[in-house]
Amino acid sequence: MTKFARLNRLPPYVFATVNQIKMDARHAGEDIIDLGMGNPDLGTPDHIVDKLIESARKQHNHRYSASRGITKLREAISELYKRRFDVDIDPEEEAIATIGVKEGLSHLILVTIRPGDIVFTPNPTYPIHPYSAIIAGGDVRGIPVGPESDFFDNLIAATRQTWPRPKVLILNYPHNPTTEVVDLEFFQKIVDYAREHDIMVIHDFAYADLVYDGYKAPSFLQAKGAKDVGVEFFSLSKSYSMAGWRVGFCVGNRETIAALRRIKSYLDYGIFQPIQIASIIALKGPQDCVREICDIYQSRRDALISGLRRSGWNIESPKGTMFVWAKIPEKFIKMGSVEFSKMLIKEAKVAVSPGLGFGEYGDEYVRFALIENNMRINQAVRGIKKVISG
């Protein structure tokens, strides 16, 4: 019998349990408000869609494309970084398009580490961060992150206690799921740390544009010497509501980009070329749509936070991401996040993501995704209030 050795190292998917209860309830005719998976409900702006349609009608765009991304897309990526962050990116040597961040990050880890190598990731965190290392045969050490943790202090402590020394550090700010944000000074400390310990840094910058209350998310590459020690992934999924289009890119250290380019040349023929062409329009065209998308998420955030506070569930208002990270109310905290999430589906008719699915340090929390309109969010709040105040 064939043995699927790499799958044997992957734990059961925590979210599957909650998703099954949600689907069973829906099949039974119940109206479940889904604030679980971070799957944007907003449509892609019209000018981007129009360019896709125009490009798709041209037969020469139906052929295999370049796995590294077409030249004009890489140039648009470089222009974005200069315009937004005043960071110079060589489009030939320091930028590569990826089929979303998950593909690029997991293939980069695959080409970077050997079995037994140690990878540091935040805990809790987006599942592909630790699982990419596990799939590649590496060992993961989770560094506590969140409102009750000092990530950098925890990172230093873990480094002192870990042997062999870690090879890669994966970061993600604004952070999914905890919504933690950082300043440029933090990234400078990370660069200095990485240089001292000879560690490669990978920063997942998926929520660069979803920021609120005057906060602006810095790029990791703005820190002095960042390109010497690492790379950054940027995604069009959230900024332009293009999640299903699967467009991301990796920029930074040229040796790392070259390694990713080489492995990708064996594994894929690149993104469908009309999507790449439309992505150029997204990056170089009017950016009002980005602000409008962000404003919608902020309005939803405010509706959810204020509603839950009125219900007696006091939650800090996040400055970034499309999520709300909520500590389970005290009287339910012993249930753990999975059982609490099950209860919300059954009794409040609301689906959320259990914090345990992002790592063991998340088990006292649940994550709300802001993927329903304000009316549905208010409906969700009414259902939750009946449960937590009952």
Side-chain angles (χ1 to χ4, degrees), residues 135-154:
I135 291 168
D139 290 328
V140 176
R141 299 288 185 274
I143 314 297
V145 64
E148 299 174 355
S149 297
D150 185 313
F151 179 82
F152 193 79
D153 285 351
N154 293 336

Side-chain angles (χ1 to χ4, degrees), residues 50-63 272-275 277:
D50 291 343
K51 192 63 179 181
L52 171 71
I53 294 169
E54 175 192 321
S55 303
R57 293 190 184 282
K58 297 178 180 178
Q59 290 187 1
H60 63 268
N61 286 329
H62 298 178
R63 307 177 71 185
F272 183 43
Q273 192 150 295
I275 291 178
I277 294 168

Side-chain angles (χ1 to χ4, degrees), residues 190-364:
I190 291 292
V191 170
D192 297 341
Y193 157 86
R195 183 179 285 113
E196 178 184 354
H197 296 282
D198 192 26
I199 295 172
M200 185 176 86
V201 178
I202 299 174
H203 181 229
D204 180 352
F205 201 22
Y207 298 94
D209 290 306
L210 298 190
V211 291
Y212 319 111
D213 305 330
Y215 172 73
K216 292 185 178 180
S219 163
F220 166 72
L221 297 182
Q222 287 177 282
K224 185 178 179 181
K227 282 201 284 187
D228 296 335
V229 299
V231 295
E232 182 165 81
F233 282 92
F234 191 99
S235 170
L236 277 68
S237 293
K238 310 306 187 301
S239 300
Y240 302 93
S241 203
M242 295 171 62
W245 299 51
R246 308 313 303 133
V247 185
F249 50 86
C250 184
V251 291
N253 181 271
R254 60 183 56 213
E255 291 181 1
T256 305
I257 298 297
L260 181 55
R261 182 170 66 236
R262 187 171 181 192
I263 192 73
K264 279 176 63 63
S265 70
Y266 284 95
L267 296 172
D268 72 72
Y269 283 112
I271 305 161
F272 183 43
Q273 192 150 295
I275 291 178
Q276 295 192 55
I277 294 168
S279 298
I280 295 168
I281 297 302
L283 294 167
K284 298 184 71 169
Q287 300 298 297
D288 296 352
C289 58
V290 178
R291 186 70 254 168
E292 291 167 3
I293 289 168
C294 187
D295 287 346
I296 290 171
Y297 285 122
Q298 181 167 342
S299 174
R300 294 175 178 184
R301 177 203 68 169
D302 293 345
L304 180 63
I305 293 287
S306 62
L308 292 177
R309 284 177 178 170
R310 288 194 302 271
S311 304
W313 192 353
N314 291 313
I315 301 167
E316 195 70 27
S317 189
K319 291 186 177 180
T321 77
M322 55 184 288
F323 306 111
V324 168
W325 185 240
K327 191 166 187 178
I328 298 169
E330 193 63 36
K331 68 177 180 179
F332 300 106
I333 206 161
K334 289 184 179 179
M335 296 177 69
S337 60
V338 175
E339 292 305 315
F340 181 71
S341 298
K342 290 179 183 178
M343 182 183 72
L344 288 186
I345 293 174
K346 292 176 181 177
E347 299 184 22
K349 310 306 178 188
V350 177
V352 298
S353 292
L356 182 63
F358 303 98
E360 64 269 27
Y361 294 123
D363 199 24
E364 293 186 347

